[in-house]
Amino acid sequence: MRSSHALMRSALIVATVTLASQAMELKKDTLAAWTDYVRGADARMERMGNGRPFLWVDESAARLARVQRGQVLVEPMVGRGTRDVSNGLIHDWMGAAFIPNTSAQTLLAVLHDYDRYQDIYKPAVTESKQLTCGEAEQEFSMKWARHVLFVTAAIQGRYRAHDVMLDAHHGYQIADSISVREIEGYGQATERLLPEDRGQGFLWRVHTMLRYAERDGGVYVELEAIALTRDIPASLHWLVKPAVNHLSVNSLTTTLEETREAVARAPQLSAGIGSCSGKLWDAVALKRGGME
């Protein structure tokens, strides 16, 4: 999946069950903690392959066997899935799946088809659009909505994704939110778009890292989804955190399952000529003198 980063839904960790009722503003110290955390996560990605397995599932024979049997695995990458920071929470989860009888090129063609995210990941993603497409970088927008208990969280975001193709069978994509705005009164006559970094704090920032490897008759896909949300009152930790983690696991699992289904339905193809994915593939192939 893209990350597709776009599997933004997987990273859209729901903080709606915090029973929040008053608007708030993202604090500078919260943003600073987020920046430091993401920098560390990116450094882990850069070290992959330097004497360590490229894939997370390869770090455990049991984990690999479960994915090969068709399971979608989701595990926390920090504590029990969340880390408290000043006035906020960082959520960090890893998910993995195996898609048989497909290729890396087919996977990339699906992940870069941003206009179709509203179909692939519905009903959570209600609108999606490709904005720009370069040889290794893309920008796209998504509108996302989810109803939890008596609260509807709706977000309009703009995202930037950067691809790194190591060879014809291995690569990764890092995606970041560059604009996240909450939609107040979603679906009502009073619906309005709030300024950036203001609102209920359902989602302040999102950062995803997707790895893929073509082998064993298919493609392994791993998505680490990291999100920044408002904090949870200390008095509600015992009640809310387990619920938030449960929603996070379900969201990431569903995103990987929907990605697998979309790739399985896609024809076995090379990235289409003129498509966003095709530009990436052709550019890397030219630089390497042809990828085999």
Side-chain angles (χ1 to χ4, degrees):
M1 212 194 45
R2 136 222 122 34
S3 120
S4 56
H5 175 322
L7 303 184
M8 291 304 171
R9 183 184 64 174
S10 62
L12 294 177
I13 309 301
V14 181
T16 58
V17 290
T18 59
L19 311 181
S21 60
Q22 296 184 348
M24 57 190 302
E25 182 177 359
L26 178 63
K27 306 297 183 182
K28 290 183 179 180
D29 53 351
T30 310
L31 184 57
W34 165 258
T35 301
D36 288 344
Y37 189 90
V38 168
R39 186 180 297 117
D42 286 344
R44 293 200 310 270
M45 173 70 79
E46 293 174 359
R47 289 197 298 269
M48 294 299 295
N50 295 332
R52 299 179 58 190
F54 178 67
L55 294 178
W56 171 70
V57 294
D58 285 334
E59 296 177 2
S60 165
R63 189 183 291 158
L64 179 61
R66 291 172 62 189
V67 169
Q68 289 174 334
R69 289 196 298 268
Q71 288 185 247
V72 174
L73 297 185
V74 175
E75 295 183 9
M77 293 297 287
V78 56
R80 295 185 177 180
T82 59
R83 171 174 291 182
D84 291 277
V85 296
S86 178
N87 298 299
L89 277 179
I90 292 176
H91 311 253
D92 190 351
W93 294 82
M94 174 72 82
F98 179 66
I99 309 174
N101 306 314
T102 193
S103 67
Q105 283 183 286
T106 300
L107 171 69
L108 289 174
V110 170
L111 296 183
H112 291 122
D113 195 357
Y114 299 110
D115 290 341
R116 289 193 59 242
Y117 277 12
Q118 59 192 4
D119 300 317
I120 296 172
Y121 303 110
K122 65 180 182 183
V125 175
T126 61
E127 293 181 20
S128 62
K129 183 178 181 181
Q130 177 183 305
L131 302 176
T132 66
C133 177
E135 293 182 353
E137 192 168 275
Q138 313 93 43
E139 288 190 12
F140 59 97
S141 64
M142 287 199 310
K143 183 179 289 186
W144 169 91
R146 184 164 183 174
H147 186 75
V148 179
L149 299 179
F150 51 84
V151 179
T152 296
I155 302 292
Q156 178 173 297
R158 183 178 177 123
Y159 310 93
R160 179 180 295 118
H162 179 76
D163 287 273
V164 176
M165 294 182 68
L166 304 177
D167 56 41
H169 307 292
H170 301 78
Y172 61 89
Q173 183 188 76
I174 296 177
D176 268 302
S177 55
I178 54 179
S179 173
V180 176
R181 301 178 67 182
E182 189 174 315
I183 304 171
E184 185 178 75
Y186 179 74
Q188 304 174 20
T190 57
E191 177 180 316
R192 69 187 183 102
L193 198 61
L194 298 182
E196 291 186 46
D197 300 338
R198 293 179 182 272
Q200 298 295 324
F202 300 139
L203 181 74
W204 294 125
R205 294 289 189 276
V206 64
H207 183 82
T208 64
M209 298 177 289
L210 178 138
R211 288 187 292 268
Y212 61 88
E214 180 183 340
R215 71 175 203 235
D216 301 335
V219 177
Y220 294 90
V221 182
E222 298 181 346
L223 178 65
E224 183 174 357
I226 310 173
L228 176 67
T229 70
R230 64 171 297 146
D231 58 353
I232 297 172
S235 61
L236 294 176
H237 271 214
W238 66 274
L239 173 65
V240 175
K241 273 198 173 181
V244 170
N245 288 347
H246 179 71
L247 289 168
S248 301
V249 171
N250 284 350
S251 180
L252 187 50
T253 300
T254 299
T255 297
L256 283 166
E257 289 175 342
E258 291 172 338
T259 300
R260 182 168 60 187
E261 291 171 4
V263 173
R265 290 194 302 266
Q268 296 304 298
L269 45 74
S270 297
I273 296 175
S275 70
C276 190
S277 186
K279 291 180 182 179
L280 168 65
W281 196 270
D282 292 344
V284 175
L286 180 63
K287 291 177 182 179
R288 293 179 180 272
M291 299 175 67
E292 299 179 357

